PDB file of all heavy atoms in Angstrom:
ATOM      1  N   PHE S 102       3.450 -25.856 -58.569  1.00  0.00           N
ATOM      2  CA  PHE S 102       3.913 -26.666 -57.447  1.00  0.00           C
ATOM      3  C   PHE S 102       2.859 -27.631 -56.896  1.00  0.00           C
ATOM      4  O   PHE S 102       3.042 -28.203 -55.830  1.00  0.00           O
ATOM      5  CB  PHE S 102       4.485 -25.790 -56.318  1.00  0.00           C
ATOM      6  CG  PHE S 102       5.960 -25.523 -56.492  1.00  0.00           C
ATOM      7  CD1 PHE S 102       6.395 -24.498 -57.319  1.00  0.00           C
ATOM      8  CD2 PHE S 102       6.912 -26.308 -55.859  1.00  0.00           C
ATOM      9  CE1 PHE S 102       7.748 -24.265 -57.503  1.00  0.00           C
ATOM     10  CE2 PHE S 102       8.262 -26.077 -56.032  1.00  0.00           C
ATOM     11  CZ  PHE S 102       8.691 -25.055 -56.862  1.00  0.00           C
ATOM     12  N   GLU S 202       8.688 -34.514 -45.058  1.00  0.00           N
ATOM     13  CA  GLU S 202       7.913 -34.236 -43.844  1.00  0.00           C
ATOM     14  C   GLU S 202       6.676 -35.118 -43.763  1.00  0.00           C
ATOM     15  O   GLU S 202       6.272 -35.547 -42.671  1.00  0.00           O
ATOM     16  CB  GLU S 202       7.521 -32.757 -43.796  1.00  0.00           C
ATOM     17  CG  GLU S 202       8.694 -31.806 -43.659  1.00  0.00           C
ATOM     18  CD  GLU S 202       9.478 -32.020 -42.371  1.00  0.00           C
ATOM     19  OE1 GLU S 202       8.872 -32.405 -41.350  1.00  0.00           O
ATOM     20  OE2 GLU S 202      10.710 -31.812 -42.393  1.00  0.00           O
ATOM     21  N   GLN S 227      18.979 -28.765 -54.707  1.00  0.00           N
ATOM     22  CA  GLN S 227      17.533 -28.556 -54.792  1.00  0.00           C
ATOM     23  C   GLN S 227      16.697 -29.803 -54.519  1.00  0.00           C
ATOM     24  O   GLN S 227      15.548 -29.691 -54.076  1.00  0.00           O
ATOM     25  CB  GLN S 227      17.173 -28.026 -56.192  1.00  0.00           C
ATOM     26  CG  GLN S 227      17.806 -26.692 -56.538  1.00  0.00           C
ATOM     27  CD  GLN S 227      17.082 -25.514 -55.909  1.00  0.00           C
ATOM     28  OE1 GLN S 227      16.311 -25.662 -54.967  1.00  0.00           O
ATOM     29  NE2 GLN S 227      17.308 -24.324 -56.436  1.00  0.00           N
TER      30      GLN S 227
END
Side-chain angles (χ1 to χ4, degrees):
F102 271 83
E202 295 298 328
Q227 299 281 18

